[in-house]
Amino acid sequence: MSLLASIIALSLSGAAPAADYRERPPEDEIIYFVLPDRFENDDPKNDRGGLEGDRLQTGYDPTAKGFFHGGDLAGLTKRLDYIEGLGATAIWFAPIFKNKPVQGPKGDESAGYHGYWVTDFTQVDPHFGTNAEFKAFVDAAHKRGMKVYMDIIANHTADVITYKEDAAGGFRYRSLADFPYSRRGGIRGASINSGFSGDHVADLENWKKLTDPAFAYTPVVPKDAERVKVPAWLNDPLYYHNRGNSDWVGESALYGDFSGLDDLATENPHVVQGFIDIYGRWIDEFGIDGFRIDTAKHVNPEFWQAFVPAMLARAKARGIPNFHIFGEVYVDAVDPGALAWYTHAAGLPAVLDFGFARAAIDALSGTKGTGEFARLFDGDALYKGGAGAAQELPTFLGNHDMGRFAMFVKAANPAASEAELLQRVMLGHAMLLTLRGVPTIYYGDEQGFVSDDKDQLARETMFASKVAAYNDNDLIGSAATTATANFDPAHPLYRHIATLSEIRRKTPALMRGATKVRAFSEKPGLLAVSRFDPDTGREVLLAFNTSAAPLSANIAIDMKSAGFTALHGDCPASPAAPGSLHLSLPAFGTIICQAS
């Protein structure tokens, strides 16, 4: 039996009993992130979401990258074998709540296939299926011992509210100073909202005095959309900031509409309790295991200070002691301090580790050395809870917003051979699956998907695509294209990830072990890291070569490490001297050595 077949057989035989999955801490997981619309279409009857008309009414156009393609929850359930065989233990998927089907200016419309334009927070979007089908998916995953993480949004809803003024000007952001809550339409306007003490006073009695939402713009809700949002309180403009479009700087990053999306007044205690009720229900009724929080940095910290403890308590009461909450704080740099701030000020237990992604992209593309990882790990002390808390950060190489990891590697190495690109991408996944944090695999990366750019161009379908901009891509490690289905468990990247996932799950040091950087380079070359078993203290040495040439080096090790077993690659059986191990790595090679 092949290694891959053994892994799949072991997984399907119940190696991780369903009864035990609740007990796993977040850092023990391997996450698979997927957009349901782009994964598998098991029920063509729901492709149009029960709507009639052309693509501007139904949102369905499988030939256009910005419209629904047909993937659904039944398809996700159907492909659980594939996801489990890869080694994933948790599935995070883009929002499945009912969305506004289509929005955008005339001639530049797109659909809510991605799930971030919510109108009904209580219902699965009919394009994806039903609440009952979601329950069936969660139950099927749990039966295998796999966790389910929902992608949630509190920052905004779909773009329903418009404004009476400045349509020609693009609804530019209007600030608190120039357009205070106390005047209608500017500091010279009529006095309104008498007695309102400001949005920093989180008291219901204070917020009852905010009765006029036309302090900056006059919000207008189209007649045919006055009751489109669920729960019903979301239809009232009083619960929104109504200050126009964010310019992503300073105050507007919190108060501005996200490209037209209706920005909620998350300072209002009614909004806080409303979202606690909304998302608490999904925990109560479906027993999900975690939340990824979209646009977390665009919400005031006080909201999260109230929301997070409420969700953790709700989960604990439901018998879910290890509920994993992590926020999206998009910081495209190796800047741990900028990320860690949100674990202190906002009380988020974890954030997506954009710093890890940046370090991996730069190191594996050859544009920088491996010292970026040393700087990244030095910053772990900044997180609330220190380096131990950093173990819960979901790490990743690329995603649906920034683009795929292979794209960055290929763009930086336009003359590289197919074999070299595959080696670099495989090395990136070796780092992802062995270094600290919770490895998060972006769907399709295991099939060599490349992407042409970020956003819509990085959201290819796993089932046969009809999008020309996807189908002309040269996939890495395969002669296939996205014009045919790509669920090949024999793909070299799939096999590589499955192998390393199995090693990780069997090696506590790789899931929860402390990190000690042993060697790094300021140019492409060596990165050596020791991780230590949290119970026994036994060392596991990781070594990576990001250069195109083989290398050898003496690596400092624990004085107690008297012998080594190779978990991956060629490891010396014994140290060259107490406290020193001599390693040789091939180009783009990985070695995992476990001390005896």
Side-chain angles (χ1 to χ4, degrees):
M1 182 182 289
S2 69
L3 175 61
L4 178 63
S6 300
I7 291 169
I8 294 175
L10 180 65
S11 179
L12 295 178
S13 70
D20 297 336
Y21 75 96
R22 295 284 198 208
E23 302 305 316
R24 294 197 307 263
E27 55 266 40
D28 281 15
E29 308 303 337
I30 298 170
I31 302 171
Y32 189 75
F33 170 44
V34 60
L35 273 68
D37 179 63
R38 302 300 165 93
F39 193 64
E40 178 65 293
N41 187 359
D42 191 57
D43 184 6
K45 294 191 298 296
N46 63 28
D47 287 355
R48 291 172 173 78
L51 302 170
E52 300 292 334
D54 64 14
R55 72 177 197 163
L56 296 183
Q57 280 71 50
T58 69
Y60 177 69
D61 182 354
T63 69
K65 65 184 185 301
F67 284 76
F68 283 98
H69 290 179
D72 48 39
L73 289 167
L76 263 177
T77 307
K78 173 184 175 181
R79 291 292 184 179
L80 281 172
D81 279 355
Y82 171 87
I83 298 171
E84 190 177 18
L86 186 64
T89 62
I91 303 170
W92 152 34
F93 44 85
I96 56 163
F97 313 109
K98 186 176 181 180
N99 267 229
K100 187 175 182 180
V102 177
Q103 64 183 44
K106 187 174 182 179
D108 194 27
E109 301 93 346
S110 61
Y113 70 93
H114 42 66
Y116 295 104
W117 300 342
V118 183
T119 54
D120 186 344
F121 288 86
T122 70
Q123 178 184 341
V124 168
D125 192 291
H127 290 88
F128 301 142
T130 64
N131 285 24
E133 285 177 305
F134 178 60
K135 182 68 163 59
F137 165 71
V138 175
D139 290 347
H142 284 169
K143 188 174 182 180
R144 297 166 179 263
M146 301 174 75
K147 294 182 180 179
V148 176
Y149 296 164
M150 295 186 78
D151 202 318
I152 66 168
I153 309 145
N155 177 64
H156 59 263
T157 70
D159 184 5
V160 174
I161 298 172
T162 187
Y163 304 121
K164 185 176 179 180
E165 306 87 359
D166 194 41
F171 305 124
R172 289 164 293 187
Y173 182 73
R174 293 183 169 180
S175 71
L176 290 160
D178 292 331
F179 296 86
Y181 291 109
S182 58
R183 294 287 186 272
R184 179 180 289 126
I187 56 176
R188 293 182 178 85
S191 179
I192 59 174
N193 300 319
S194 177
F196 181 62
S197 299
D199 59 28
H200 63 288
V201 180
D203 177 81
L204 271 175
E205 290 305 311
N206 176 51
W207 281 88
K208 285 179 182 177
K209 297 170 184 174
L210 184 73
T211 58
D212 189 337
F215 35 82
Y217 285 96
T218 305
V220 176
V221 179
K223 282 290 183 185
D224 61 353
E226 288 179 337
R227 294 181 177 83
V228 73
K229 295 180 185 179
V230 181
W233 62 266
L234 288 163
N235 293 299
D236 190 339
L238 276 170
Y239 296 121
Y240 296 84
H241 284 133
N242 303 313
R243 291 188 172 275
N245 286 318
S246 175
D247 55 19
W248 317 114
V249 177
E251 175 191 303
S252 82
L254 289 177
Y255 290 89
D257 292 347
F258 194 108
S259 299
L261 299 168
D262 299 348
D263 198 69
L264 284 148
T266 46
E267 303 84 4
N268 188 325
H270 186 96
V271 175
V272 176
Q273 188 58 50
F275 275 106
I276 288 172
D277 293 342
I278 285 169
Y279 291 125
R281 171 182 168 268
W282 288 92
I283 296 173
D284 292 346
E285 295 190 13
F286 299 93
I288 57 171
D289 306 284
F291 288 146
R292 179 267 192 182
I293 300 172
D294 180 65
T295 51
K297 68 184 287 187
H298 300 293
V299 174
N300 59 304
E302 295 81 5
F303 178 92
W304 303 124
Q305 291 168 11
F307 180 84
V308 167
M311 293 301 96
L312 294 175
R314 198 80 165 246
K316 189 173 182 181
R318 179 68 164 73
I320 309 169
N322 290 300
F323 196 81
H324 195 187
I325 296 177
F326 50 99
E328 179 205 24
V329 179
Y330 201 144
V331 178
D332 189 14
V334 181
D335 188 355
L339 295 173
W341 185 88
Y342 290 87
T343 67
H344 292 274
L348 292 173
V351 292
L352 285 165
D353 195 351
F354 278 87
F356 183 98
R358 188 73 261 164
I361 290 167
D362 290 345
L364 274 302
S365 65
T367 58
K368 291 187 180 179
T370 59
E372 293 293 281
F373 282 101
R375 189 155 66 90
L376 178 79
F377 298 143
D378 282 346
D380 285 354
L382 300 174
Y383 291 92
K384 188 175 182 179
Q391 304 274 28
E392 294 190 19
L393 305 179
T395 51
F396 62 98
L397 300 173
N399 65 21
H400 60 317
D401 289 327
M402 64 191 296
R404 292 188 181 273
F405 177 64
M407 175 190 74
F408 292 105
V409 171
K410 187 173 184 179
N413 298 274
S417 67
E418 178 84 5
E420 179 183 329
L421 292 174
L422 178 60
Q423 286 179 302
R424 288 181 184 271
V425 173
M426 291 177 79
L427 178 56
H429 283 88
M431 290 179 162
L432 177 70
L433 286 155
T434 57
L435 294 172
R436 73 100 179 97
V438 186
T440 303
I441 299 158
Y442 183 39
Y443 85 98
D445 281 3
E446 77 281 3
Q447 295 294 328
F449 284 16
V450 178
S451 80
D452 289 325
D453 204 338
K454 59 186 177 181
D455 195 66
Q456 294 179 4
L457 286 168
R459 301 172 180 181
E460 304 93 325
T461 47
M462 293 283 283
F463 58 99
S465 175
K466 297 179 181 179
V467 178
Y470 297 160
N471 293 343
D472 65 2
N473 288 352
D474 183 13
L475 306 190
I476 291 177
S478 168
T481 73
T482 55
T484 59
N486 283 274
F487 294 98
D488 181 10
H491 192 287
L493 276 165
Y494 185 102
R495 298 199 312 269
H496 179 66
I497 293 169
T499 299
L500 289 166
S501 296
E502 181 75 356
I503 293 170
R504 181 183 180 90
R505 293 198 309 272
K506 289 183 174 180
T507 311
L510 300 184
M511 295 185 288
R512 283 167 269 122
T515 292
K516 184 175 181 62
V517 177
R518 297 294 192 180
F520 62 87
S521 173
E522 292 304 325
K523 58 184 180 179
L526 177 66
L527 175 67
V529 172
S530 290
R531 302 195 65 191
F532 300 90
D533 189 294
D535 298 318
T536 67
R538 182 166 63 168
E539 181 177 20
V540 175
L541 181 69
L542 309 171
F544 312 97
N545 178 9
T546 65
S547 76
L551 61 81
S552 295
N554 294 316
I555 306 298
I557 56 171
D558 195 295
M559 293 291 288
K560 299 189 297 293
S561 296
F564 286 89
T565 301
L567 299 182
H568 184 84
D570 295 323
C571 296
S574 58
S580 179
L581 188 70
H582 184 77
L583 292 181
S584 296
L585 287 94
F588 311 117
T590 298
I591 295 176
I592 307 174
C593 306
Q594 182 169 263
S596 57

